[in-house]
Amino acid sequence: MTGDGSAEGHLERARQLYEQGVFDGDEAALAIADRELDAVEAALALARGRNIHTKFLTARDRDPAQAVEDPAELPLFERSRALYQSLGDTAGEADALFWLGCFHQVVRGDDGTAVPLLERSLALATQAGATSTMSEDLRHLGIAAQRAGHLDQARTHLEESNRLRREAGFLPGVASNLIGLAYIAAAQNRPADGRTHLDEATTLATTANAHRILHHITEARTHLQ
């Protein structure tokens, strides 16, 4: 598939191909139309899954006991991954794999399942030059490494994630990673580095109006005193 990769573009091409099928009797056009629609469905499934995931996060922020798995989330990410894979869309498959890994890590607390998904996503995202997905993979691989007590590896992953996020101008994402780096610094007996990370995170989150991140910074300062 070529041309406009937006949902509107895919739908318009599907409409044109439908007309070739219905008016010209071109059955091959209908098969191509199905692929155009698969691209839309893959993006929509991913978007719906992301929304459900964010609802989990906001519920957890209010009260961890309120954060329960929505049974619709995992099938949406699995469907998106399957469709992107069938389309040969490497960047899309990498994104869906990241969200599968994120689901298992964040919602189910299962790093054993999450890490291979995140590593595969990182490999595909690197191949596709999808730096946004790469930064997400590295962040969550860093979280897994930190949980496993591999602090140097965790630091390396988060610093590389932040390099990519800084290049993209993704200020809330940089601030979020700096919180993780502050916790790692504290665990490595580098309290001054931790305070520096939180000070920068505060500046960036304030600039970006990232109120949820500011709340997490406040929590980190309390925990790391």
Side-chain angles (χ1 to χ4, degrees):
M1 291 176 288
T2 60
D4 181 4
S6 68
E8 292 81 0
H10 287 300
L11 289 170
E12 175 58 21
R13 286 192 294 278
R15 184 191 65 78
Q16 294 170 358
L17 289 160
Y18 147 76
E19 290 184 352
Q20 286 180 231
V22 73
F23 296 123
D24 300 341
D26 186 349
E27 292 185 25
L30 297 177
I32 301 171
D34 281 338
R35 289 175 62 79
E36 298 286 353
L37 295 174
D38 284 346
V40 177
E41 184 182 347
L44 180 59
L46 198 62
R48 288 194 185 281
R50 286 197 306 262
N51 275 6
I52 292 172
H53 188 80
T54 302
K55 291 175 184 176
F56 175 89
L57 296 178
T58 55
R60 188 180 66 179
D61 287 347
R62 289 192 304 272
D63 178 0
Q66 294 181 16
V68 296
E69 178 180 332
D70 186 321
E73 183 177 348
L74 181 58
L76 284 165
F77 292 143
E78 289 175 334
R79 177 62 173 161
S80 180
R81 189 265 176 105
L83 287 167
Y84 278 129
Q85 189 174 48
S86 72
L87 292 166
D89 185 334
T90 302
E93 184 182 357
D95 199 8
L97 278 166
F98 161 72
W99 282 103
L100 280 167
C102 188
F103 167 84
H104 284 287
Q105 182 180 68
V106 175
V107 178
R108 293 189 173 175
D110 181 2
D111 283 334
T113 300
V115 167
L117 293 166
L118 294 168
E119 289 175 339
R120 178 57 178 160
S121 172
L122 179 59
L124 291 177
T126 302
Q127 178 184 331
T131 55
S132 176
T133 303
M134 290 168 61
S135 77
E136 296 285 3
D137 289 322
L138 288 162
R139 169 179 167 76
H140 285 265
L141 287 168
I143 291 169
Q146 183 179 0
R147 287 176 175 173
H150 306 311
L151 297 180
D152 288 339
Q153 183 183 41
R155 181 181 178 183
T156 297
H157 283 324
L158 285 177
E159 287 178 343
E160 177 61 11
S161 174
N162 253 7
R163 183 186 69 80
L164 294 171
R165 289 181 169 189
R166 288 183 193 277
E167 289 179 356
F170 182 28
L171 299 185
V174 174
S176 185
N177 277 349
L178 285 168
I179 299 170
L181 286 167
Y183 279 105
I184 292 169
Q188 294 182 321
N189 296 313
R190 296 184 289 109
D193 288 345
R195 289 191 293 271
T196 298
H197 290 322
L198 292 179
D199 288 344
E200 184 186 2
T202 299
T203 299
L204 294 175
T206 300
T207 300
N209 292 316
H211 300 294
R212 180 169 177 267
I213 302 301
L214 286 169
H215 174 70
H216 289 168
I217 293 168
T218 300
E219 286 185 336
R221 289 191 190 277
T222 300
H223 292 154
L224 299 179
Q225 282 181 347

